Amino acid sequence: MGKLIVSLSPHAHGTDTVERNMYGVIIALLPALLVSFYFFGIGSAIVCATSVAACVLFEWAINKFMLKNERTTICDGSAVLTGLLLGFNLPSNLPIWIIIIGALFAIGVGKMTFGGLGNNLFNPALVGRAALLVAFPAQMTTWPKVGQLTSYLDAETGATPLYLMKQAIKADNLEQAQEYLNQLPSTLDLFLGSHPDGAGAMGEICALALLLGLAYMLWKKIITWHIPVSIIGTVFVLAAIMHLANPVYADPVSVIFSGGLMLGAIFMATDYVTSPMTAKGQLIYGVAIGVLTVVIRNWGAYPEGMSFAILIMNAFTPLINNYVKPKRFGEVPAK
């Protein structure tokens, strides 16, 4: 007779693994990666390769020499994903040594300091980006134009759509504001990333590529719709209200297709570890990120506010999880 094994619930088994989900997100990023190669050429390849290699190396080194862990974690895909997302948030002309510093902050401070994957409070890639933005503001806000396929450090730079929107808000009068807004690319160009004077981070240039990644992750059930839709919807509604109230603010479609909104809403804010667990909590989290993004973009010091909004709400995730708890099966509400 076989031995009866008694164990604690739950007893359900699934096919989900860390590796499956991490590599699923990496596959979803491939359209945006290919588009970045198409628009930025050698600069994109250097930045992405350096970021991924540095993140993997730092995770391996910290595990082996500092934490003394015999089991390596570099094969689960999380370090590669962090490297890709960090690279997607950087200019395509950023020097290699600055990228390596960003990777060290992303892995060493944002991830391994908290105990590694599953324990980090903040999104590691955004920790790296925020650290570089504070330490190297000039290099991190100088954006090469698209189409310079063989240029790297000597690439010609240009104004991003978010910069033009910011200047319109700061303009002395409506006529001057309209001059800035008239320089914005068309909605189709923003959607495809094909505007000739386009400039921005490598991973945010083409909204279509990011939406293809979203469709893949929803199809594979890697993420749910709650966070991306609540973020994008909140920003769209607020931008529409502001545009109708005062035309110095850009139209809502241009706002959601500009900057890192799509990249952040789809790939950064949906990080399993740093986002709420319940659907209701994710909606609260997404709406708050949308509101903070609009506030920082329009009245903050930087034209972009997506990464800061996500990091702020990462800190509130434990509170949201504590406040929004699912009802336990069989629980009888107290009178």
Side-chain angles (χ1 to χ4, degrees):
M1 179 179 288
K3 183 179 179 182
L4 179 63
I5 299 175
V6 180
S7 62
L8 296 174
S9 61
H11 302 294
H13 295 275
T15 58
D16 263 0
T17 63
V18 171
E19 291 82 2
R20 175 185 177 275
N21 289 327
M22 292 299 166
Y23 286 110
V25 178
I26 291 171
I27 292 172
L29 284 168
L30 289 181
L33 180 64
L34 294 175
V35 167
S36 74
F37 291 160
Y38 177 78
F39 283 129
F40 295 106
I42 190 173
S44 173
I46 291 173
V47 171
C48 284
T50 302
S51 181
V52 170
C55 284
V56 171
L57 176 63
F58 283 131
E59 179 157 327
W60 172 80
I62 291 171
N63 261 315
K64 184 174 180 63
F65 298 110
M66 297 182 69
L67 302 180
K68 307 296 182 182
N69 291 335
E70 295 184 3
R71 178 178 173 272
T72 181
T73 59
I74 60 174
C75 295
D76 63 14
S78 61
V80 174
L81 179 58
T82 296
L84 270 178
L85 289 175
L86 175 62
F88 275 20
N89 279 276
L90 302 177
S92 62
N93 65 342
L94 199 64
I96 288 176
W97 63 275
I98 296 182
I99 303 169
I100 293 174
I101 293 174
L104 178 59
F105 270 92
I107 297 296
V109 178
K111 182 178 180 181
M112 303 309 292
T113 296
F114 294 94
L117 181 65
N119 300 301
N120 49 290
L121 180 61
F122 301 99
N123 185 291
L126 289 181
V127 170
R129 182 187 187 277
L132 292 183
L133 195 57
V134 172
F136 308 101
Q139 294 91 332
M140 285 291 292
T141 54
T142 303
W143 307 101
K145 295 182 179 181
V146 301
Q148 304 174 83
L149 303 183
T150 59
S151 300
Y152 174 40
L153 296 178
D154 59 342
E156 182 184 355
T157 59
T160 65
L162 288 182
Y163 173 81
L164 296 173
M165 294 178 190
K166 192 79 167 182
Q167 294 304 113
I169 296 171
K170 294 179 179 179
D172 295 328
N173 52 64
L174 181 58
E175 182 178 349
Q176 190 179 46
Q178 285 297 330
E179 291 180 5
Y180 284 111
L181 294 178
N182 289 337
Q183 298 177 48
L184 288 173
S186 68
T187 300
L188 182 61
D189 285 340
L190 286 172
F191 184 67
L192 299 176
S194 58
H195 42 102
D197 294 328
M202 298 184 306
E204 66 187 32
I205 198 71
C206 178
L208 173 60
L210 297 170
L211 289 172
L212 288 175
L214 172 62
Y216 176 82
M217 290 195 293
L218 291 175
W219 173 50
K220 288 293 185 178
K221 298 182 179 179
I222 297 172
I223 64 171
T224 61
W225 61 269
H226 302 83
I227 292 175
V229 170
S230 59
I231 293 175
I232 297 170
T234 299
V235 173
F236 183 90
V237 170
L238 292 178
I241 294 172
M242 294 167 63
H243 178 68
L244 291 173
N246 191 341
V248 302
Y249 297 104
D251 66 275
V253 177
S254 296
V255 170
I256 64 171
F257 286 157
S258 298
L261 180 71
M262 289 287 181
L263 177 63
I266 297 170
F267 291 100
M268 316 291 282
T270 54
D271 175 42
Y272 292 133
V273 182
T274 58
S275 61
M277 295 182 291
T278 63
K280 183 179 178 182
Q282 290 172 2
L283 290 174
I284 295 172
Y285 173 80
V287 169
I289 289 176
V291 171
L292 287 171
T293 299
V294 171
V295 170
I296 297 172
R297 278 186 173 188
N298 291 291
W299 298 288
Y302 290 103
E304 179 60 277
M306 189 66 192
S307 56
F308 294 112
I310 295 173
L311 287 171
I312 290 170
M313 290 312 300
N314 284 167
F316 282 92
T317 292
L319 290 177
I320 295 175
N321 283 332
N322 188 58
Y323 174 72
V324 184
K325 293 181 179 179
K327 181 181 177 182
R328 287 177 289 185
F329 181 74
E331 180 182 15
V332 178
K335 294 183 180 179

Short mmCIF file of all heavy atoms in Angstrom, two decimals, residues 80-106:
data_model
loop_
_atom_site.label_atom_id
_atom_site.label_comp_id
_atom_site.label_asym_id
_atom_site.label_seq_id
_atom_site.Cartn_x
_atom_site.Cartn_y
_atom_site.Cartn_z
N VAL A 80 17.77 39.48 -17.28
CA VAL A 80 17.70 39.88 -18.69
C VAL A 80 16.56 40.87 -18.90
O VAL A 80 16.72 41.88 -19.59
CB VAL A 80 17.51 38.63 -19.58
CG1 VAL A 80 17.30 39.04 -21.04
CG2 VAL A 80 18.70 37.70 -19.47
N LEU A 81 15.42 40.59 -18.30
CA LEU A 81 14.27 41.49 -18.43
C LEU A 81 14.56 42.86 -17.84
O LEU A 81 14.23 43.89 -18.44
CB LEU A 81 13.04 40.86 -17.76
CG LEU A 81 11.75 41.69 -17.80
CD1 LEU A 81 11.36 42.01 -19.24
CD2 LEU A 81 10.62 40.95 -17.09
N THR A 82 15.19 42.89 -16.68
CA THR A 82 15.57 44.17 -16.07
C THR A 82 16.51 44.95 -16.97
O THR A 82 16.37 46.16 -17.16
CB THR A 82 16.23 43.94 -14.69
OG1 THR A 82 15.29 43.34 -13.81
CG2 THR A 82 16.71 45.26 -14.09
N GLY A 83 17.48 44.24 -17.57
CA GLY A 83 18.42 44.90 -18.47
C GLY A 83 17.73 45.48 -19.70
O GLY A 83 18.04 46.60 -20.13
N LEU A 84 16.79 44.73 -20.27
CA LEU A 84 16.05 45.22 -21.43
C LEU A 84 15.22 46.46 -21.09
O LEU A 84 15.23 47.47 -21.80
CB LEU A 84 15.13 44.13 -21.97
CG LEU A 84 15.69 43.18 -23.03
CD1 LEU A 84 14.64 42.14 -23.40
CD2 LEU A 84 16.16 43.94 -24.26
N LEU A 85 14.50 46.39 -19.97
CA LEU A 85 13.64 47.51 -19.58
C LEU A 85 14.47 48.74 -19.23
O LEU A 85 14.07 49.87 -19.53
CB LEU A 85 12.76 47.11 -18.40
CG LEU A 85 11.64 46.11 -18.74
CD1 LEU A 85 10.91 45.68 -17.49
CD2 LEU A 85 10.66 46.71 -19.75
N LEU A 86 15.62 48.53 -18.58
CA LEU A 86 16.50 49.66 -18.30
C LEU A 86 16.98 50.28 -19.60
O LEU A 86 16.94 51.51 -19.76
CB LEU A 86 17.69 49.20 -17.45
CG LEU A 86 18.76 50.27 -17.17
CD1 LEU A 86 18.17 51.44 -16.39
CD2 LEU A 86 19.95 49.67 -16.41
N GLY A 87 17.42 49.45 -20.54
CA GLY A 87 17.88 49.97 -21.83
C GLY A 87 16.79 50.71 -22.57
O GLY A 87 17.05 51.74 -23.22
N PHE A 88 15.56 50.22 -22.47
CA PHE A 88 14.44 50.87 -23.16
C PHE A 88 14.16 52.26 -22.59
O PHE A 88 13.51 53.07 -23.26
CB PHE A 88 13.18 50.01 -23.01
CG PHE A 88 13.07 48.93 -24.06
CD1 PHE A 88 14.18 48.51 -24.77
CD2 PHE A 88 11.85 48.35 -24.34
CE1 PHE A 88 14.08 47.52 -25.73
CE2 PHE A 88 11.73 47.36 -25.30
CZ PHE A 88 12.86 46.95 -26.01
N ASN A 89 14.60 52.54 -21.39
CA ASN A 89 14.36 53.83 -20.75
C ASN A 89 15.53 54.80 -20.90
O ASN A 89 15.52 55.87 -20.29
CB ASN A 89 14.07 53.63 -19.26
CG ASN A 89 12.64 53.22 -18.99
OD1 ASN A 89 11.74 54.04 -18.90
ND2 ASN A 89 12.42 51.92 -18.88
N LEU A 90 16.51 54.43 -21.72
CA LEU A 90 17.71 55.25 -21.86
C LEU A 90 17.81 55.85 -23.26
O LEU A 90 17.27 55.30 -24.22
CB LEU A 90 18.96 54.40 -21.59
CG LEU A 90 19.03 53.70 -20.22
CD1 LEU A 90 20.29 52.85 -20.15
CD2 LEU A 90 18.99 54.72 -19.09
N PRO A 91 18.55 56.97 -23.40
CA PRO A 91 18.84 57.50 -24.74
C PRO A 91 19.77 56.54 -25.49
O PRO A 91 20.59 55.85 -24.87
CB PRO A 91 19.53 58.83 -24.46
CG PRO A 91 19.24 59.15 -23.02
CD PRO A 91 19.08 57.85 -22.33
N SER A 92 19.68 56.52 -26.81
CA SER A 92 20.49 55.60 -27.59
C SER A 92 21.93 56.07 -27.77
O SER A 92 22.72 55.40 -28.44
CB SER A 92 19.86 55.39 -28.97
OG SER A 92 19.80 56.61 -29.68
N ASN A 93 22.29 57.22 -27.21
CA ASN A 93 23.67 57.70 -27.28
C ASN A 93 24.34 57.74 -25.91
O ASN A 93 25.36 58.41 -25.73
CB ASN A 93 23.70 59.09 -27.91
CG ASN A 93 23.01 60.14 -27.05
OD1 ASN A 93 22.22 59.81 -26.16
ND2 ASN A 93 23.29 61.41 -27.31
N LEU A 94 23.79 57.03 -24.93
CA LEU A 94 24.34 57.08 -23.57
C LEU A 94 25.66 56.30 -23.53
O LEU A 94 25.73 55.17 -24.01
CB LEU A 94 23.34 56.47 -22.58
CG LEU A 94 23.53 56.84 -21.11
CD1 LEU A 94 23.31 58.32 -20.90
CD2 LEU A 94 22.57 56.04 -20.23
N PRO A 95 26.72 56.88 -22.94
CA PRO A 95 28.00 56.18 -22.86
C PRO A 95 27.91 54.87 -22.08
O PRO A 95 27.10 54.74 -21.15
CB PRO A 95 28.90 57.18 -22.13
CG PRO A 95 28.28 58.51 -22.41
CD PRO A 95 26.80 58.27 -22.47
N ILE A 96 28.74 53.91 -22.44
CA ILE A 96 28.69 52.58 -21.84
C ILE A 96 28.89 52.62 -20.33
O ILE A 96 28.21 51.91 -19.58
CB ILE A 96 29.74 51.66 -22.52
CG1 ILE A 96 29.28 51.32 -23.94
CG2 ILE A 96 29.96 50.38 -21.71
CD1 ILE A 96 30.28 50.50 -24.74
N TRP A 97 29.81 53.45 -19.86
CA TRP A 97 30.12 53.46 -18.42
C TRP A 97 28.93 53.96 -17.60
O TRP A 97 28.72 53.51 -16.47
CB TRP A 97 31.37 54.29 -18.14
CG TRP A 97 31.27 55.74 -18.48
CD1 TRP A 97 31.50 56.32 -19.68
CD2 TRP A 97 30.92 56.81 -17.58
NE1 TRP A 97 31.31 57.69 -19.61
CE2 TRP A 97 30.97 58.01 -18.33
CE3 TRP A 97 30.59 56.87 -16.23
CZ2 TRP A 97 30.69 59.26 -17.76
CZ3 TRP A 97 30.32 58.12 -15.67
CH2 TRP A 97 30.37 59.29 -16.42
N ILE A 98 28.12 54.84 -18.16
CA ILE A 98 26.92 55.31 -17.46
C ILE A 98 25.87 54.20 -17.43
O ILE A 98 25.18 54.01 -16.41
CB ILE A 98 26.36 56.58 -18.11
CG1 ILE A 98 27.36 57.73 -18.00
CG2 ILE A 98 25.03 56.98 -17.45
CD1 ILE A 98 26.87 59.05 -18.58
N ILE A 99 25.75 53.46 -18.52
CA ILE A 99 24.80 52.33 -18.56
C ILE A 99 25.16 51.30 -17.49
O ILE A 99 24.27 50.77 -16.80
CB ILE A 99 24.81 51.66 -19.95
CG1 ILE A 99 24.48 52.68 -21.04
CG2 ILE A 99 23.81 50.51 -20.00
CD1 ILE A 99 24.72 52.17 -22.45
N ILE A 100 26.44 51.02 -17.32
CA ILE A 100 26.90 50.04 -16.33
C ILE A 100 26.55 50.50 -14.91
O ILE A 100 26.11 49.71 -14.07
CB ILE A 100 28.41 49.78 -16.48
CG1 ILE A 100 28.68 49.10 -17.82
CG2 ILE A 100 28.94 48.93 -15.32
CD1 ILE A 100 30.16 48.94 -18.14
N ILE A 101 26.70 51.79 -14.66
CA ILE A 101 26.32 52.33 -13.35
C ILE A 101 24.81 52.15 -13.13
O ILE A 101 24.37 51.77 -12.03
CB ILE A 101 26.71 53.82 -13.23
CG1 ILE A 101 28.23 53.96 -13.22
CG2 ILE A 101 26.11 54.44 -11.97
CD1 ILE A 101 28.70 55.40 -13.25
N GLY A 102 24.03 52.42 -14.15
CA GLY A 102 22.58 52.23 -14.04
C GLY A 102 22.22 50.78 -13.76
O GLY A 102 21.33 50.49 -12.95
N ALA A 103 22.91 49.84 -14.40
CA ALA A 103 22.66 48.42 -14.16
C ALA A 103 23.02 48.03 -12.74
O ALA A 103 22.34 47.22 -12.11
CB ALA A 103 23.46 47.58 -15.16
N LEU A 104 24.10 48.61 -12.22
CA LEU A 104 24.50 48.32 -10.84
C LEU A 104 23.44 48.78 -9.85
O LEU A 104 23.11 48.07 -8.89
CB LEU A 104 25.84 49.00 -10.53
CG LEU A 104 26.37 48.84 -9.10
CD1 LEU A 104 26.56 47.37 -8.74
CD2 LEU A 104 27.68 49.60 -8.92
N PHE A 105 22.88 49.96 -10.08
CA PHE A 105 21.81 50.44 -9.21
C PHE A 105 20.55 49.58 -9.36
O PHE A 105 19.89 49.27 -8.37
CB PHE A 105 21.49 51.91 -9.53
CG PHE A 105 22.29 52.89 -8.74
CD1 PHE A 105 23.48 53.39 -9.23
CD2 PHE A 105 21.87 53.31 -7.48
CE1 PHE A 105 24.25 54.30 -8.50
CE2 PHE A 105 22.62 54.21 -6.73
CZ PHE A 105 23.82 54.71 -7.25
N ALA A 106 20.24 49.21 -10.60
CA ALA A 106 19.03 48.43 -10.84
C ALA A 106 19.09 47.08 -10.13
O ALA A 106 18.15 46.69 -9.42
CB ALA A 106 18.82 48.22 -12.35
#
